[in-house]
């Protein structure tokens, strides 16, 4: 067996373990009042959302407001979608990450999109091998400002940029991602 095939096996095992860790983490942040009922997410400008945050961005299954998904469908769709998001995040990483980094990078991508996570300063740090700095950058910029805790209001500022509104719940989620990411790093 070549070193390359061993790395692929390790990657598959890492993906499976991180999928479970991500699904567990999402339970605290995407529970919904009625997880099987598809609703229009106000923070995402009415984007149809179901279960633990499933949207058209993470699944090919139609997500239609008002439909009801069974617990079994939620679980199957969530695990498939988490695996897809994790694979996208892992493709951006130049080094095999610790489990906690991949799980929290996936949570971040689940909430913000894999492209945004891949283009983030957290990913820059992880690709340089600085796992702790990358974890910190999930919630706070190097200058100390909260990041990834804002949503667009739908209005445009005079300079042409979108107006943003701070959301404490997003700041709390980012802080929890940072904490979980750091706690899982090798000592």
């Amino acid at each position: 067996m070549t070193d390359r095939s061993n790395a692929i096996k390790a990657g598959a095992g890492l993906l499976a373990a991180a999928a479970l860790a991500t699904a567990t983490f999402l339970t605290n942040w995407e529970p919904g009042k009625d997880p099987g009922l598809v609703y229009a997410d106000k923070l995402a400008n009415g984007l149809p959302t179901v279960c633990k945050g499933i949207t058209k961005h993470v699944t090919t299954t139609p997500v239609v407001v008002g439909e009801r998904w069974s617990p079994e469908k939620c679980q199957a769709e969530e695990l498939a979608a988490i695996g897809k998001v994790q694979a996208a995040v892992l493709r951006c990483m130049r080094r095999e990450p610790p489990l906690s980094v991949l799980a929290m990078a996936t949570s971040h991508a689940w909430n913000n999109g894999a492209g945004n996570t891949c283009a983030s300063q957290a990913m820059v740090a992880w690709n340089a091998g600085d796992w702790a700095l990358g974890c910190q950058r999930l919630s706070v910029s190097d200058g100390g400002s909260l990041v990834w805790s804002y949503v667009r209001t739908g209005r445009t500022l005079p300079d042409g940029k979108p107006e943003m509104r701070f959301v404490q719940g997003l700041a709390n989620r980012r802080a929890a991602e940072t904490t979980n990411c750091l706690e899982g790093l090798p000592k």
Side-chain angles (χ1 to χ4, degrees), residues 121-122 124-125 132-142 147-148 178:
Q121 290 300 302
V124 170
L133 179 59
C135 292
Q136 292 167 348
R137 286 178 172 174
L138 288 173
S139 60
V140 180
S141 73
D142 292 346
V147 294
W148 303 104
T178 291

Side-chain angles (χ1 to χ4, degrees), residues 51-74:
C51 309
K52 294 179 189 156
I54 293 175
T55 67
K56 68 181 181 180
H57 300 296
V58 298
T59 185
T60 56
T61 302
V63 183
V64 180
V65 172
E67 283 187 354
R68 180 166 299 283
W69 290 21
S70 69
E72 296 80 18
K73 182 175 181 176
C74 279

Side-chain angles (χ1 to χ4, degrees), residues 17 43 147 156 173 181:
L43 288 179
V147 294
T156 304
R173 180 175 177 159
C181 189

